[in-house]
Amino acid sequence: MRTGKATATAMAIALAVVLLCIAPRRVRSASDNRLIVGMTLVRNASAIGALCLDGSLPAYHLHRGFGAGEHNWLLQFEGGGWCNDIPSCLERANTRRGSTRYMTKYEVFSGILSNNASLNPDFYNWNRVKLRYCDGASFAGDAKFDNGTSLLYFRGQRIWRAIIHDLLPKGLGRAQKALLSGCSAGGLASFLHCDNFAEYLPRNASVKCLSDAGFFLDERDISLNHTMRSFYDDLVSLQGVEKNLDKNCTSSLVYPAMCFFPQYTLKYITTPFFILNSAYDVYQFHHILVPSSADVHGHWNRCKLDPAACTDSQLEILQGFRNDMLATLRMFYQYSGRGGLFINSCFAHCQSELQETWLAVDSPKVNNKTISEAVGDWYYSRRVSKEIDCPYPCDKTCHNLIPVSGLPQVHLTEEI
Ligand SMILES: *[C@@H]1O[C@H](CO)[C@@H](O)[C@H](O)[C@H]1NC(C)=O
Ligand SMILES: *[C@@H]1O[C@H](CO)[C@@H](O)[C@H](O)[C@H]1NC(C)=O
Ligand SMILES: *[C@@H]1O[C@H](CO)[C@@H](O)[C@H](O)[C@H]1NC(C)=O
Ligand SMILES: *[C@@H]1O[C@H](CO)[C@@H](O)[C@H](O)[C@H]1NC(C)=O
Ligand SMILES: *[C@@H]1O[C@H](CO)[C@@H](O)[C@H](O)[C@H]1NC(C)=O
Ligand SMILES: *[C@@H]1O[C@H](CO)[C@@H](O)[C@H](O)[C@H]1NC(C)=O
Ligand SMILES: *[C@@H]1O[C@H](CO)[C@@H](O)[C@H](O)[C@H]1NC(C)=O
């Protein structure tokens, strides 16, 4: 199956725009006491060929835990879309999405990464690590492209291993509590690496995983095309991902590449898992359900910018998407005793790293619970934590952080 460059580019652009709309809010919200954490390059990574798309060294940002959290570790995969063909990966290799050379060397830690007890009561004193994303396949590929003039490293899986090996002697190897987390493509990475993470840690440690906005659905678009499936199919074969997918899953499916979709891998994950996602995830809405290839006349443009502008038939399609997501999660909801769930109905994408959505006076709630509370309750087994919101537009706590694909093109080049 082929997906054109247009789709690949669209995926990258979409992501850049989502980030564009998030960045100013994050800065504004915590402007007084922002926690800014410097980058650590993984110097030993080159020894095992763990390199970013362009051959630069991979990196993470670590803020040390303290007090009662000194031996606990939270690892957060950065997100940032994917690249599924040579042209889009070459382009990406020259941006902050494919090279640590172009990345900001300092990152703001907020939301689940905050060190402030009143903003992040359950994890503030843990060791908190942000794993920078520079491979383009959710830290899961292992291949190389070299035709003599162009060179690309698809080494996500090795980057994952290199970072873990760098952190183990820094205390991760003696962790008592640990949480592997991530947002978007990073949320998908936490599905893919969850059980492997647990294997690195002491047997008596409490290890759990969280995916934020990473539950990408195997859903047809409005023109009935499998846009996302063919995108992932290209990605998995280009970047050599298949051999790193869950073996139980790949051996059970006719098309093993499908195990890149969390819905097929989920039942084989044995480590306790929490799924945080919006039922109207903006990225999925704009790129899985209504990619521009399926809406060439732009009938959805206004609806994409503002759910209040959607027609009744468009809303019906969106409700159908939500129903499909809930149906896909039904087994997990009913039978996963140690699992947690927070599926709200806000038009958003990534809600754990933003202070406004994680925990604030007016942050989103389901059944009067904030995301921070729901995740904390689940992690510490304080109570069952499986929250499913009522359908749009009933939830008045949403921020609907939408205006994603409406920004002028001009900004895109700065971000991608
Ligand atoms: C923690 O956050 C609260 C609420 O925003 C703020 O009042 C307080 O100053 C912060 N504490 C520190 C040490 O930054
Ligand atoms: C190598 O691949 C790039 C990108 O696809 C292409 O532009 C270039 O012409 C190729 N070089 C050779 C020698 O085939
Ligand atoms: C880097 O590699 C060297 C040699 O293999 C090893 O002695 C050293 O402990 C490694 N350092 C880290 C931080 O992993
Ligand atoms: C796990 O076992 C080690 C060694 O016996 C011990 O030092 C550590 O405190 C234990 N951790 C937990 C979380 O019980
Ligand atoms: C995965 O496969 C292994 C070996 O076939 C089996 O022992 C294990 O129970 C399976 N795990 C799950 C979650 O199905
Ligand atoms: C559906 O997918 C096929 C094959 O990838 C493509 O040729 C066709 O243009 C697509 N149609 C739409 C409406 O996206
Ligand atoms: C919602 O939670 C807040 C704080 O936890 C509490 O003060 C309030 O009474 C709760 N409201 C309802 C309707 O349960």
Side-chain angles (χ1 to χ4, degrees):
M1 283 185 281
R2 289 288 317 149
T3 305
K5 178 174 187 291
T7 315
T9 310
M11 298 270 174
I13 288 175
L15 194 97
V17 183
V18 167
L19 291 164
L20 260 179
C21 95
I22 284 170
R25 288 169 181 272
R26 175 160 63 189
V27 172
R28 194 175 60 226
S29 74
S31 51
D32 298 331
N33 307 302
R34 287 194 306 166
L35 169 60
I36 295 174
V37 180
M39 177 187 271
T40 304
L41 285 172
V42 184
R43 304 262 169 218
N44 270 12
S46 54
I48 61 161
L51 301 168
C52 297
L53 282 175
D54 71 330
S56 59
L57 287 173
Y60 60 81
H61 300 244
L62 162 64
H63 192 251
R64 283 286 182 181
F66 50 92
E70 193 184 345
H71 300 295
N72 301 340
W73 288 76
L74 167 65
L75 270 61
Q76 168 93 353
F77 287 114
E78 183 182 27
W82 309 270
C83 64
N84 71 331
D85 57 21
I86 296 296
S88 65
C89 291
L90 282 172
E91 193 179 315
R92 191 178 171 100
N94 288 312
T95 72
R96 69 191 180 89
R97 294 274 164 235
S99 169
T100 44
R101 282 192 257 273
Y102 299 102
M103 282 181 187
T104 49
K105 303 300 181 282
Y106 293 89
E107 279 284 291
V108 175
F109 273 27
S110 65
I112 196 172
L113 293 175
S114 169
N115 64 337
N116 182 326
S118 57
L119 302 175
N120 185 27
D122 289 311
F123 306 104
Y124 73 99
N125 58 359
W126 289 32
N127 296 280
R128 285 149 288 112
V129 188
K130 182 160 188 168
L131 284 63
R132 298 308 293 270
Y133 180 38
C134 63
D135 61 278
S138 289
F139 294 82
D142 193 3
K144 191 171 153 184
F145 174 79
D146 184 359
N147 70 353
T149 52
S150 298
L151 179 58
L152 282 170
Y153 295 91
F154 300 125
R155 293 289 175 73
Q157 182 74 23
R158 298 189 198 208
I159 291 173
W160 158 246
R161 196 155 39 114
I163 293 180
I164 290 289
H165 280 287
D166 202 75
L167 292 174
L168 286 172
K170 294 186 174 177
L172 178 64
R174 298 179 302 281
Q176 294 177 350
K177 293 187 168 63
L179 177 59
L180 181 65
S181 171
C183 143
S184 193
L188 177 57
S190 43
F191 284 103
L192 302 178
H193 294 296
C194 182
D195 282 345
N196 182 228
F197 180 55
E199 284 165 18
Y200 282 111
L201 300 189
R203 292 186 70 85
N204 62 351
S206 161
V207 184
K208 303 193 177 190
C209 307
L210 160 71
S211 164
D212 177 9
F215 198 70
F216 296 96
L217 274 193
D218 178 22
E219 180 91 351
R220 290 203 271 185
D221 68 33
I222 52 165
S223 69
L224 304 182
N225 256 5
H226 285 289
T227 298
M228 198 61 180
R229 194 187 284 183
S230 44
F231 183 86
Y232 276 175
D233 205 45
D234 291 346
L235 168 66
V236 165
S237 78
L238 176 73
Q239 295 222 24
V241 172
E242 192 175 308
K243 56 184 172 287
N244 298 319
L245 296 173
D246 186 288
K247 299 276 182 299
N248 293 33
C249 180
T250 52
S251 62
S252 73
L253 293 185
V254 180
Y255 300 108
M258 301 275 278
C259 294
F260 200 66
F261 281 105
Q263 72 205 65
Y264 303 115
T265 280
L266 181 59
K267 67 172 174 231
Y268 301 106
I269 298 176
T270 53
T271 308
F273 212 98
F274 191 102
I275 299 174
L276 161 62
N277 224 98
S278 164
Y280 311 94
D281 181 279
V282 175
Y283 183 89
Q284 299 202 50
F285 170 17
H286 294 191
H287 301 282
I288 298 182
L289 185 61
V290 193
S292 46
S293 60
D295 179 37
V296 286
H297 300 295
H299 295 307
W300 283 77
N301 289 354
R302 291 185 57 228
C303 172
K304 281 181 172 177
L305 290 177
D306 176 10
C310 301
T311 64
D312 287 348
S313 61
Q314 287 170 335
L315 281 180
E316 213 171 289
I317 290 169
L318 285 166
Q319 304 301 11
F321 185 85
R322 171 176 180 273
N323 291 339
D324 288 348
M325 183 179 290
L326 296 182
T328 304
L329 287 167
R330 191 166 296 137
M331 296 291 279
F332 181 77
Y333 180 80
Q334 290 180 340
Y335 300 113
S336 170
R338 296 181 304 165
L341 199 60
F342 191 99
I343 305 295
N344 61 353
S345 292
C346 303
F347 284 76
H349 182 66
C350 291
Q351 305 181 89
S352 63
E353 271 186 82
L354 284 181
Q355 196 60 52
E356 285 89 336
T357 46
W358 175 246
L359 178 61
V361 192
D362 62 346
S363 55
K365 294 186 183 67
V366 176
N367 296 326
N368 201 31
K369 256 198 210 180
T370 60
I371 293 170
S372 161
E373 232 179 313
V375 172
D377 283 353
W378 160 80
Y379 188 88
Y380 289 96
S381 306
R382 292 191 288 245
R383 57 182 79 99
V384 175
S385 196
K386 290 182 178 171
E387 309 294 343
I388 294 182
D389 209 350
C390 49
Y392 175 83
C394 74
D395 186 339
K396 305 303 174 211
T397 69
C398 288
H399 294 221
N400 290 339
L401 303 168
I402 273 231
V404 281
S405 39
L407 292 173
Q409 291 287 323
V410 150
H411 294 296
L412 297 180
T413 42
E414 295 165 14
E415 282 293 317
I416 315 176

